[in-house]
Amino acid sequence: MIYSKSFDRCIKELSKLPGIGKKTALRLSMQLLKMNQKDVEDIANAIIDLKKNTKFCIRCGAMAEGEVCPICTDNNRDKQIICVVEEAKDVFLIEVSGKYNGVYHVLGGRLAPLDGINPDDLRIKELLERIREDQVKEVILATNPDVEGDTTAIFLKKLISKNFDIKVTRIATGVPIGGYLEYTDEITILKSLENRREML
Ligand SMILES: [Zn+2]
């Protein structure tokens, strides 16, 4: 419609990404057009490879190249401590701090009844199975410190305590109120893990 069909198509495709409006898509397309062929192909191939090779671990739900992620197969990790997070990217954020030695469990979201997200939509059954199978001693609830994240944590605490006699902790909100894990630096994440408190 503007100059070329291909240019138009590139704008249309890039606009499908969250946070990329028409204007940004236009600027990025222009930038890609100015770059050399190899760099553009590297970007395109990285995206295709990402989709082709990255799966989600069948145990914890974190990103993996095979069926099971490197954290779940690492014998040095303590399988009896599970840190529960909302999304696979949260695992990466906690891993950056380099101090956590337990394993993870990705819920795949958080409870949001108004948006139609109920317990059955999250990987809660799988969490309970892991607690039983691995004789887990502590579950750290690291859902985001906001209303929905807190609601999810309280729900899980009740459910876990109903079925198991184990320690359930909640990360400390050293992060600003309403702050999300992804906007928090690694020192704050580390502190909020270290200062976790037992939920009673
Ligand atoms: Zn895993």
Side-chain angles (χ1 to χ4, degrees):
M1 195 172 71
I2 313 173
Y3 304 107
S4 89
K5 260 189 189 163
S6 306
F7 191 74
D8 232 31
R9 183 178 164 211
C10 189
I11 294 171
K12 204 175 127 209
E13 293 305 323
L14 288 174
S15 317
K16 288 179 181 170
L17 292 166
I20 309 270
K22 271 269 151 65
K23 251 190 193 167
T24 309
L26 186 117
R27 192 164 49 79
L28 289 173
S29 303
M30 203 63 219
Q31 193 60 43
L32 288 165
L33 199 55
K34 285 182 191 165
M35 286 165 71
N36 69 48
Q37 185 71 20
K38 182 174 181 308
D39 286 346
V40 175
E41 279 172 13
D42 283 348
I43 294 174
N45 288 331
I47 295 171
I48 293 165
D49 281 355
L50 166 81
K51 195 60 194 163
K52 218 190 281 174
N53 299 328
T54 308
K55 314 239 177 326
F56 293 99
C57 173
I58 51 165
R59 283 189 68 70
C60 74
M63 275 179 247
E65 290 241 327
E67 286 228 305
V68 185
C69 78
I71 298 171
C72 285
T73 49
D74 185 347
N75 286 330
N76 294 318
R77 309 284 298 223
D78 188 347
K79 307 277 189 311
Q80 294 185 309
I81 302 179
I82 296 184
C83 179
V84 176
V85 294
E86 293 179 16
E87 303 289 350
K89 66 175 165 43
D90 300 334
V91 170
F92 180 71
L93 295 169
I94 296 174
E95 280 300 289
V96 170
S97 75
K99 290 280 166 66
Y100 175 65
N101 195 41
V103 290
Y104 296 91
H105 190 84
V106 179
L107 290 173
R110 69 262 202 73
L111 292 178
L114 293 178
D115 298 328
I117 302 169
N118 297 303
D120 286 348
D121 301 312
L122 304 177
R123 300 178 63 248
I124 293 175
K125 194 167 54 82
E126 291 88 338
L127 174 65
L128 298 180
E129 272 166 24
R130 288 181 70 192
I131 295 174
R132 189 173 298 119
E133 275 174 23
D134 295 334
Q135 288 155 16
V136 169
K137 290 190 177 126
E138 181 183 354
V139 172
I140 304 168
L141 299 173
T143 49
N144 281 310
D146 55 15
V147 177
E148 287 168 343
D150 282 339
T151 307
T152 309
I154 292 164
F155 175 86
L156 289 174
K157 154 70 187 160
K158 280 186 189 157
L159 188 67
I160 293 168
S161 295
K162 212 172 84 183
N163 291 282
F164 307 95
D165 184 22
I166 58 166
K167 197 163 150 191
V168 180
T169 54
R170 176 87 173 110
I171 50 163
T173 18
V175 288
I177 302 296
Y180 288 82
L181 279 182
E182 72 180 292
Y183 299 125
T184 310
D185 62 273
E186 56 200 77
I187 294 165
T188 315
I189 290 180
L190 192 60
K191 280 252 172 307
S192 87
L193 254 181
E194 278 174 351
N195 299 330
R196 63 186 184 268
R197 258 174 279 167
E198 185 154 9
M199 289 179 85
L200 301 167

